[in-house]
Amino acid sequence: MKLSHFQFDLPKELLAEFPAENRDEARLMVIDRKKQTIEHKMFKDVIDYFDDGDVLILNNTKVFPARLYGNKEKTGARIEVFLLRELNAEQRLWDVLVDPARKIRIGNKLYFGDDDSLVAEVIDNTTSRGRTLRFLYDGSYEEFRNKLTELGETPIPKYISRDVTPEDAERYQTIYAKEEGAVAAPTAGLHFSKHLMKKLEIKGVKFAEVTLHVGLGTFNPVEVEDLSKHKMDSEELKITQEACDIVNEAKAKKKRICTVGTTSMRAVESSVSSQNTLNPFDGWTNKFVFPPHDFTIPTCMITNFHTPKSTLLMMVSAFCGHDLMKKAYEEAIKEKYKFYSYGDAMLII
């Protein structure tokens, strides 16, 4: 498969600016790979496809308010700082992206908050937009992290042209988010409401939680025609023994195993044993799933509608089958499904 196979024209108005009014009332396209059929439902209808003993694999990562706005010393120029990952807690070193980057050099200081209560010094250039910052703050580590949370805003994607609202802090987060560390939400999971989770639980559906801290690398455009030459950014991944036991028991009983989102899919496909079972994992993964790929763990997946040429679309193509995926996306555009982070969902069985 080549990069050009994943190009399609996406009308701009189909990029969702806001989430559905209620989480589980987004639209749901159901694709049956065996029957080669496409159906149109509501997300809450997802319950009809799962029974006692089936498993949903959820990514319980939690988005932190990663976008900060500061001012450069002397000039006062407004600078956006996007926190990517903490490099050293003791020294308060962070890997960040800055914008506009051309103004930010090693040795510059940035001031945050109306009272300049947080200061950062640029100590390294990592990429054209990437910098390493050392934050200078008098309080304890806990107070420092609280200050970042207070000054930061929810990192909704750049394509959303409106300002961040208080509602985004809640809606750009899954209801089962626990482990802080993501700079983007695992968006397929945004459709689950407490009510729907309870109904699934009553039906006997089990939940296996994994933690993959989504980085911005997930959304990096692929710039090579030969997909095998694309390098994914590494993301931190943790799979517990408990999650493995839930998944492997369902696999042994030939129950339905569904990954909720491309991040859950990447997580489980990163840690498969030679016996084709799920292994515990604690480390980093740069797994890139693209066609052709033999999937070992999941029998179905829930995902959102992705943008052209994205690695997420390539994973869906590998799981769904390329021709059926193309047909589904043509139908989604015709039926005006909403795309991307706050958009509608797809269940592939």
Side-chain angles (χ1 to χ4, degrees), residues 16-86:
E17 289 269 322
F18 290 93
E21 194 173 336
N22 297 310
R23 284 181 186 267
D24 57 15
E25 289 181 351
R27 293 164 76 191
L28 177 72
M29 179 185 279
V30 182
I31 299 171
D32 188 317
R33 293 176 293 171
K34 211 173 188 172
K35 296 180 188 160
Q36 296 278 299
T37 56
I38 295 170
E39 291 182 285
H40 305 288
K41 307 271 186 178
M42 296 282 277
F43 190 81
K44 57 188 173 190
D45 298 328
V46 85
I47 195 164
D48 300 336
Y49 297 89
F50 296 98
D51 285 311
D52 186 29
D54 290 342
V55 172
L56 291 175
I57 301 174
L58 310 173
N59 182 6
N60 67 10
T61 187
K62 189 174 185 181
V63 180
F64 65 93
R67 192 173 274 132
L68 300 170
Y69 291 97
N71 297 97
K72 190 179 166 190
E73 62 177 338
K74 294 181 185 145
T75 66
R78 182 172 147 102
I79 305 293
E80 180 189 309
V81 172
F82 196 101
L83 302 172
L84 292 177
R85 62 176 70 97
E86 187 173 49

Side-chain angles (χ1 to χ4, degrees), residues 59 61 82 84-85 95 181-186 210-220 230-239 261-268 270-271 281-289 311-312 315:
N59 182 6
T61 187
F82 196 101
L84 292 177
R85 62 176 70 97
D95 202 0
V183 299
V210 299
T211 306
L212 182 96
H213 290 317
V214 191
L216 280 188
T218 296
F219 309 108
N220 279 352
H230 177 67
K231 294 263 188 299
M232 289 288 281
D233 277 10
S234 290
E235 293 172 323
E236 202 173 349
L237 169 62
K238 186 165 190 170
I239 303 174
T262 55
T263 61
S264 298
M265 178 72 87
R266 190 156 68 255
V268 297
S270 294
S271 193
F281 190 100
D282 192 352
W284 295 76
T285 178
N286 62 354
K287 181 86 173 167
F288 175 30
V289 179
T311 58
L312 313 176
M315 182 188 289

Side-chain angles (χ1 to χ4, degrees), residues 51-267:
D51 285 311
D52 186 29
D54 290 342
V55 172
L56 291 175
I57 301 174
L58 310 173
N59 182 6
N60 67 10
T61 187
K62 189 174 185 181
V63 180
F64 65 93
R67 192 173 274 132
L68 300 170
Y69 291 97
N71 297 97
K72 190 179 166 190
E73 62 177 338
K74 294 181 185 145
T75 66
R78 182 172 147 102
I79 305 293
E80 180 189 309
V81 172
F82 196 101
L83 302 172
L84 292 177
R85 62 176 70 97
E86 187 173 49
L87 300 173
N88 184 310
E90 207 179 313
Q91 295 182 31
R92 298 180 187 168
L93 294 183
W94 280 76
D95 202 0
V96 306
L97 294 178
V98 292
D99 194 25
R102 66 183 186 282
K103 294 182 174 177
I104 303 301
R105 298 188 175 88
I106 293 172
N108 286 163
K109 283 200 173 74
L110 301 171
Y111 293 87
F112 302 92
D114 295 338
D115 53 356
D116 296 343
S117 54
L118 184 64
V119 182
E121 184 180 3
V122 181
I123 61 167
D124 197 11
N125 286 347
T126 50
T127 61
S128 59
R129 286 181 59 212
R131 302 288 185 272
T132 303
L133 296 189
R134 177 185 286 118
F135 283 97
L136 312 169
Y137 185 74
D138 287 339
S140 66
Y141 178 72
E142 193 183 344
E143 288 168 331
F144 163 64
R145 288 303 299 246
N146 289 341
K147 179 57 77 173
L148 284 185
T149 302
E150 177 199 319
L151 294 174
E153 70 176 34
T154 305
I156 60 172
K158 278 285 198 190
Y159 77 85
I160 294 177
S161 53
R162 61 178 174 80
D163 287 341
V164 174
T165 66
E167 184 195 35
D168 289 312
E170 183 206 343
R171 292 301 302 272
Y172 196 62
Q173 196 82 273
T174 62
I175 59 162
Y176 47 79
K178 286 191 190 94
E179 305 292 335
E180 192 172 82
V183 299
T187 54
L190 299 179
H191 302 295
F192 285 89
S193 62
K194 286 196 171 95
H195 183 61
L196 178 58
M197 297 280 280
K198 196 75 201 157
K199 281 171 76 175
L200 284 160
E201 209 178 303
I202 290 165
K203 208 171 176 184
V205 176
K206 294 181 174 163
F207 304 113
E209 294 188 8
V210 299
T211 306
L212 182 96
H213 290 317
V214 191
L216 280 188
T218 296
F219 309 108
N220 279 352
V222 179
E223 289 170 341
V224 285
E225 184 64 11
D226 178 354
L227 301 186
S228 65
K229 293 193 164 54
H230 177 67
K231 294 263 188 299
M232 289 288 281
D233 277 10
S234 290
E235 293 172 323
E236 202 173 349
L237 169 62
K238 186 165 190 170
I239 303 174
T240 62
Q241 185 63 56
E242 184 191 359
C244 295
D245 293 345
I246 294 168
V247 170
N248 293 334
E249 185 191 350
K251 192 170 164 62
K253 291 178 178 171
K254 299 204 164 14
K255 295 290 184 183
R256 188 164 264 183
I257 299 170
C258 182
T259 48
V260 176
T262 55
T263 61
S264 298
M265 178 72 87
R266 190 156 68 255

